[in-house]
Amino acid sequence: MIVSDATTETLQQVFKSLGIHPENTGVSTGLQWLEGSGPWLQSTSPVDGQEIARIKCAGPYDYQHVTKIAGEALLQWRKIPAPARGEIVRQMGEAFRQHKDALGKLVSYEMGKSLREGLGEVQEIIDICDFAVGLSRQLYGLTMHSERPGHRMYEQWHPLGIVGIISAFNFPVAVWSWNAMIAWVCGDVCVWKPSSKTPLCAIACQHIIAGVLKRNNVPEGVSCLLIGNAMGDLMNNDRNVPLVSFTGSTRIGRHVAQTVAGRFGRTILELGGNNAIIVTPDADLKMMLIGTVFGAVGTAGQRCTSTRRLIVHDSIYEQVRTSLKNAYGQLQIGNPLLDKNHMGPLIDLKAVEDYQNAIQKALKEGGKTLVEGGVLSGDGYESGCYVKPCIMEVENHYQIVQEETFAPILYLMRYNTLEEAIAMQNGVPQGLSSSIFTNSLREMERFLSAEGSDCGIANVNIGTSGAEIGGAFGGEKETGGGRESGSDAWKAYMRRQTNTINYSTGLPLAQGIEFNF
């Protein structure tokens, strides 16, 4: 790795704290860093447009070498009792606590989200470590009564093997941890291909846990890192990787699903979201305003759970319209490392282009501008990645409204009946997160019923963003159907086995069949 001469003294201190050194390339086998054989990758911050570092990516040879080491580590790691694996994950959580401030700053600078969001993302790693520790003693199976006398039946769960993790730029460290910490207590080993837009965050995480692995004499290969776009398809086609967890766009997710399914592998897909908030006449409009604005502009609209659509009852539409316009007029946009700013930049210039194209498409289809967007320029905006949050009045059937645009564009629309609002909420290809603001118990329950939201996440009186690790995270339809993090999502990382024990002196057959000699 080559650190840029333009790197500030503050960032150099962050690098030192996180153990990021020139010898850290894009290939790690858990306890050592290897020289990548692939092309160079440039990490550029959207905050100021400065190059942070250049990383030597992995090549096909590196992939084969690393997955071989991971496979060897699996043979030892799965023999360690689950609670003992949980203890190692607990120590990882402590390590992330020690490095929270430094890693949070790096996440903010390399990705562009606010410092508070960067620190919050590291806190999610800490939280999932705590969750996984408890889970390590709760990998429960069931016992069943056999229909045959003198027999006992039960099911148990075994490690699946190598888990491939392909993560996205918008949550460069948290989503990896949702998968890795759970997979590790389940007895799996992990190979991580992070986004090529945020490679330094991945290198930092790998270094933080490397010390824990070494102190516990954990076999090399339990946690592997491979940086480079080419690594994704190698993983998708690898029969030695029984599970690929992919977070990203629906377009690429479809390719991942088809490729992995073609070899009868498993996938956890966390894909696009086109999330809506329904605002009823009984809503607390102050709460609604906070939830909507954060949902729409937090992380510059680059969360899969970002609020894209606001569906407002006709009787309060003008009131909501006015309050939104006033709130957007108070937003501060700029360097995300400064607390005064509500929103930082988009990830890169391609994202800015997509943002501009979406606005033009909405206008062409008949949309009207409530809060005008645009690209910011001048002092503090040199990267070209800063844009104005935009609100557009549209109709739900517009083609651009049916799509997910990873940008701070909020589509505003009105409804007359709750049935109509729910139909609009559900009337998109994606099904990740949804919300309703109401104080009516009947409206709440209708929204949460089988006839209500068709999303994997359905909230009442909170926004679409801000999922907690205790619940399974994921969505339906083109969101992919995958579940990560809490609840019983751990089952995706293990294989189920049904066992029958005959402790009698005979061999009665199931269903009363007789087969005597």
Side-chain angles (χ1 to χ4, degrees), residues 78-100:
R78 67 187 181 186
K79 292 180 181 179
I80 298 174
R85 298 193 295 258
E87 164 58 20
I88 294 170
V89 169
R90 185 196 66 79
Q91 294 174 36
M92 290 180 182
E94 291 301 313
F96 280 106
R97 282 184 172 89
Q98 296 170 15
H99 293 283
K100 178 178 177 179

Side-chain angles (χ1 to χ4, degrees), residues 334-396:
N335 188 327
L337 293 168
L338 302 179
D339 274 342
K340 68 175 183 178
N341 292 321
H342 299 99
M343 193 184 94
L346 293 175
I347 185 64
D348 56 22
L349 296 177
K350 176 62 169 59
V352 174
E353 181 183 348
D354 292 342
Y355 157 85
Q356 292 175 305
N357 289 339
I359 293 174
Q360 291 305 311
K361 288 179 181 178
L363 290 171
K364 188 175 181 179
E365 291 190 72
K368 298 178 181 179
T369 301
L370 176 62
V371 175
E372 188 173 357
V375 181
L376 296 169
S377 60
D379 293 343
Y381 303 129
E382 291 84 0
S383 70
C385 296
Y386 291 87
V387 302
K388 298 177 184 178
C390 172
I391 302 178
M392 304 197 72
E393 295 178 283
V394 300
E395 295 183 21
N396 202 55

Side-chain angles (χ1 to χ4, degrees), residues 27-30 34 58-75 161-165 189-193 220-226 230-244 263:
V27 182
S28 173
T29 58
L34 306 175
Y61 168 79
D62 304 311
Y63 178 86
Q64 296 299 329
H65 177 64
V66 166
T67 52
K68 180 176 182 295
I69 290 175
E72 292 170 350
L74 173 66
L75 301 179
I162 299 175
V163 173
I165 303 170
V189 300
C190 298
V191 178
W192 181 19
K193 191 211 84 67
E220 187 175 347
V222 166
S223 175
C224 297
L225 176 68
L226 289 165
M231 298 300 99
D233 253 356
L234 291 174
M235 191 180 294
N236 295 333
N237 285 284
D238 191 350
R239 293 181 180 275
N240 295 313
V241 180
L243 173 65
V244 175
R263 60 176 176 84

Side-chain angles (χ1 to χ4, degrees), residues 4-293:
S4 171
D5 293 336
T7 300
T8 65
E9 182 178 346
T10 299
L11 191 60
Q12 288 176 349
Q13 292 174 351
V14 168
F15 281 3
K16 184 177 180 181
S17 174
L18 295 172
I20 298 178
H21 304 295
E23 61 268 23
N24 294 161
T25 71
V27 182
S28 173
T29 58
L31 302 179
Q32 65 171 315
W33 292 91
L34 306 175
E35 180 67 29
S37 59
W40 285 96
L41 173 68
Q42 178 178 310
S43 174
T44 301
S45 172
V47 174
D48 54 19
Q50 295 291 325
E51 178 186 284
I52 309 173
R54 294 182 184 181
I55 298 96
K56 200 73 162 64
C57 293
Y61 168 79
D62 304 311
Y63 178 86
Q64 296 299 329
H65 177 64
V66 166
T67 52
K68 180 176 182 295
I69 290 175
E72 292 170 350
L74 173 66
L75 301 179
Q76 301 179 54
W77 180 246
R78 67 187 181 186
K79 292 180 181 179
I80 298 174
R85 298 193 295 258
E87 164 58 20
I88 294 170
V89 169
R90 185 196 66 79
Q91 294 174 36
M92 290 180 182
E94 291 301 313
F96 280 106
R97 282 184 172 89
Q98 296 170 15
H99 293 283
K100 178 178 177 179
D101 287 346
L103 183 56
K105 288 178 182 176
L106 180 59
V107 168
S108 178
Y109 185 65
E110 189 176 32
M111 186 269 151
K113 63 175 58 177
S114 73
L115 178 57
R116 291 186 182 183
E117 289 184 83
L119 294 171
E121 184 169 348
V122 181
Q123 185 62 47
E124 287 199 37
I125 300 178
I126 296 167
D127 292 343
I128 198 66
C129 286
D130 289 347
F131 181 89
V133 173
L135 178 63
S136 68
R137 295 180 181 272
Q138 300 178 75
L139 303 175
Y140 298 134
L142 299 172
T143 60
M144 292 80 78
H145 288 283
S146 173
E147 66 184 44
R148 290 166 286 184
H151 286 59
R152 180 170 69 88
M153 295 180 65
Y154 69 98
E155 68 177 25
Q156 58 181 332
W157 296 83
H158 294 303
L160 195 57
I162 299 175
V163 173
I165 303 170
I166 303 175
S167 61
F169 75 85
N170 59 332
F171 279 84
V173 298
V175 172
W176 159 75
S177 71
W178 295 351
N179 287 275
M181 303 306 168
I182 302 298
W184 283 329
V185 297
C186 288
D188 301 316
V189 300
C190 298
V191 178
W192 181 19
K193 191 211 84 67
S195 169
S196 294
K197 298 179 181 182
T198 51
L200 293 173
C201 292
I203 290 174
C205 287
Q206 188 72 347
H207 179 82
I208 289 171
I209 65 173
V212 175
L213 299 176
K214 186 175 183 180
R215 287 194 299 273
N216 286 274
N217 296 315
V218 170
E220 187 175 347
V222 166
S223 175
C224 297
L225 176 68
L226 289 165
I227 293 174
N229 288 331
M231 298 300 99
D233 253 356
L234 291 174
M235 191 180 294
N236 295 333
N237 285 284
D238 191 350
R239 293 181 180 275
N240 295 313
V241 180
L243 173 65
V244 175
S245 177
F246 173 81
T247 303
S249 70
T250 296
R251 179 180 62 85
I252 299 178
R254 183 175 287 108
H255 167 73
V256 172
Q258 292 171 347
T259 304
V260 177
R263 60 176 176 84
F264 294 103
R266 299 188 196 177
T267 54
I268 297 175
L269 301 175
E270 298 293 349
L271 311 177
N274 196 347
N275 318 294
I277 294 177
I278 297 173
V279 187
T280 78
D282 284 322
D284 183 321
L285 296 185
K286 184 177 180 180
M287 288 173 56
M288 177 280 302
L289 188 64
I290 295 171
T292 298
V293 175

Side-chain angles (χ1 to χ4, degrees), residues 289 293 322-333 340-342:
L289 188 64
V293 175
T322 299
S323 63
L324 278 172
K325 191 171 183 178
N326 291 337
Y328 269 55
Q330 301 173 53
L331 291 173
Q332 298 293 316
I333 307 164
K340 68 175 183 178
N341 292 321
H342 299 99

